[in-house]
């Protein structure tokens, strides 16, 4: 999906000034792609049990800036901190470039500032995990809660970077009020996906800590999850697959309704992409269970989850900024406006 190419082909140009303007959308798209890679590397840290590679020290590693004679786990954890730190620098650069090349009130400024705030929050949540010892083989129920919050913030960050890239590429801002049924459906769909992601983070943690290596069937595993000695994290493992079915069914229905309410080509296109990624994600989920959650399958599942989130954000965005409504529809076209303020 070459989103930036599609936008340029449509003749969309950002309202910017100076030669540096061409770098704003490039930086935004680049930051989005880079953060997906950082998220996947963070999953590698969890899967390898390297989260305690720097001890219970943050932001220092084992009490020093650069660890000396590091173990493999220290190398993995320290490299994750470095890549995460680079995400922060990219966000700062994005804010600076947006302020320099766009006029006051341009939505790209809002998106860049929101992205920076979410990256700071991302780092703080990660720091809390380390300082409280909620890493490596910790089975503290609080770890499941923090993992869920971490994933929700990650999705919000990817969404903010995507919108920033769109706005930097000259696409319209979004007016949230007055969207009628389309706005409510989109908000519920995004909310369900956030809950699904949080539940998925808890299930992935449960798979890492408690999934038996023997030949137990899925039914036997579920029974074990609800044994008297089972922890809260084990109890919650079954929530994710059940919520995945409900959320997927809703998203497919939502996409169909949005395509009828806002019958534009872009809305129909992203409806098709969402249908395809849901099918792929469901297959990956079944494979993950059948194969007993190997590391490579968990990474694939997480990557598809990120793509599914971004595709859903795109579908909702296109629906909320659609100008052509089906004749006779109860809703009326809304003028393009920005978040926050009006387009420059």
């Amino acid at each position: 999906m070459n989103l930036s190419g599609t936008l340029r082909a449509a003749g969309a140009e950002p309202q910017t000034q100076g030669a540096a303007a061409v770098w704003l959308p490039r930086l935004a798209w680049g930051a989005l792609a880079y953060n997906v890679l950082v998220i996947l590397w963070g999953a590698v840290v969890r899967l390898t049990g390297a989260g305690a590679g720097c001890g219970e020290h943050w932001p220092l590693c084992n009490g020093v800036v650069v660890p000396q004679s590091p173990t493999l786990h220290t190398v993995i954890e320290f490299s994750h901190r470095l890549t995460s730190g680079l995400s922060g620098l990219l966000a700062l650069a994005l804010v600076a470039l947006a302020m320099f090349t766009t006029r006051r009130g341009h939505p790209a400024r809002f998106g860049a500032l929101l992205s920076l705030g979410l990256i700071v929050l991302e780092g703080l949540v990660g720091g809390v995990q380390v300082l409280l010892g909620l890493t490596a083989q910790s089975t503290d129920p609080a770890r499941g809660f923090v993992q869920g919050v971490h994933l929700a913030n990650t999705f919000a960050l990817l969404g903010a970077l995507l919108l920033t890239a769109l706005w930097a590429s000259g696409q319209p801002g979004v007016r949230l009020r007055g969207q009628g049924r389309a706005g409510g459906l989109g908000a519920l769909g995004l909310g369900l996906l956030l809950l699904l992601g949080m539940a998925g983070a808890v299930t992935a943690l449960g798979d890492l800590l408690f999934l038996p290596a023997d030949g137990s069937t899925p039914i036997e595993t579920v029974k074990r999850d609800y044994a008297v000695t089972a922890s809260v994290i084990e109890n919650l493992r079954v929530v994710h697959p059940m919520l995945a079915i409900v959320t997927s069914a809703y998203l497919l229905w939502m996409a169909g309704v949005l395509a009828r309410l806002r019958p534009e080509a872009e809305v129909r296109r992203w409806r098709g992409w969402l249908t395809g990624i849901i099918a792929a994600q469901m297959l990956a989920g079944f494979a993950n269970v059948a194969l007993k959650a190997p590391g490579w399958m968990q990474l694939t599942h997480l990557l598809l989850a990120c793509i599914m989130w971004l595709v859903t954000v795109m579908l909702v965005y296109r629906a909320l900024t659609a100008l052509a409504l089906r004749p006779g529809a109860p809703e009326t076209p809304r003028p393009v406006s920005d978040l926050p303020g009006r387009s420059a």
Side-chain angles (χ1 to χ4, degrees), residues 23-343:
W23 288 101
L24 181 59
R26 292 177 181 178
L27 180 60
W29 289 113
L32 174 60
Y34 178 77
N35 273 275
V36 171
L37 295 178
V38 172
I39 291 164
L40 294 177
W41 188 243
V44 171
V45 174
R46 172 178 54 81
L47 290 169
T48 57
C54 287
E56 294 185 7
H57 298 89
W58 186 90
L60 298 178
C61 183
N62 291 325
V64 296
V65 176
V66 179
Q68 304 297 316
S69 302
T71 64
L72 177 59
H73 279 185
T74 301
V75 171
I76 294 174
E77 167 63 9
F78 187 65
S79 65
H80 178 56
R81 294 190 183 187
L82 290 178
T83 55
S84 299
L86 182 55
S87 294
L89 294 178
L90 286 175
L92 284 171
L94 191 60
V95 169
L97 195 57
M99 293 297 179
F100 178 71
T101 60
T102 64
R103 299 175 183 175
R104 183 177 182 181
H106 196 286
R109 291 190 175 193
F110 171 76
L113 287 169
L114 179 60
S115 299
L116 176 60
L118 290 169
I119 282 182
V120 171
L121 183 58
E122 188 92 336
L124 292 176
V125 173
V128 167
Q129 281 187 284
V130 172
L131 294 175
L132 296 182
L134 304 177
T135 57
Q137 299 304 310
S138 171
T139 59
D140 191 324
R143 185 180 179 186
F145 174 77
V146 175
Q147 287 277 108
V149 172
H150 205 15
L151 196 284
N153 188 78
T154 294
F155 273 12
L157 170 61
L158 293 182
L161 286 170
L162 174 60
L163 291 175
T164 303
L166 289 169
W167 290 331
S169 301
Q171 295 301 294
V174 181
R175 172 175 291 177
L176 299 180
R177 290 186 297 177
Q179 290 286 352
R181 191 182 179 194
L185 292 174
L188 180 56
L190 294 174
L192 283 174
L193 260 186
L194 282 178
L195 288 177
L196 178 60
M198 295 175 72
V202 175
T203 297
L205 179 61
D207 289 344
L208 175 68
L209 297 175
F210 303 109
L211 191 64
D214 56 26
S216 302
T217 66
I219 298 299
E220 291 171 337
T221 302
V222 171
K223 289 181 179 179
R224 191 174 303 175
D225 287 344
Y226 286 92
V228 177
T229 57
S231 70
V232 174
I233 295 177
E234 289 177 277
N235 296 160
L236 294 176
R237 285 180 65 239
V238 74
V239 172
H240 177 64
M242 295 174 61
L243 187 58
I245 295 173
V246 173
T247 301
S248 296
Y250 173 81
L251 290 177
L252 291 172
W253 174 79
M254 177 200 76
V257 175
L258 290 180
R260 291 195 299 271
L261 292 175
R262 307 290 169 89
E264 279 198 344
E266 284 295 309
V267 177
R268 293 194 298 271
R269 174 191 297 181
W270 289 105
R271 175 196 180 188
W273 278 110
L274 181 59
T275 301
I277 195 63
I278 287 175
Q281 184 67 306
M282 293 298 286
L283 288 174
F286 284 122
N288 201 38
V289 173
L291 298 175
K292 293 189 177 297
W296 65 270
M297 193 67 244
Q298 290 197 43
L299 289 175
T300 301
H301 202 36
L302 177 59
L303 175 60
L304 289 173
C306 292
I307 296 174
M308 184 172 168
W309 167 256
L310 292 172
V311 169
T312 304
V313 172
M314 276 298 304
L315 172 62
V316 174
Y317 170 79
R318 288 302 185 191
L320 297 186
T321 55
L323 298 180
L325 300 183
R326 185 177 59 184
E331 295 171 309
T332 57
R334 298 288 170 182
V336 173
S337 60
D338 301 320
L339 277 179
R342 312 183 85 182
S343 177

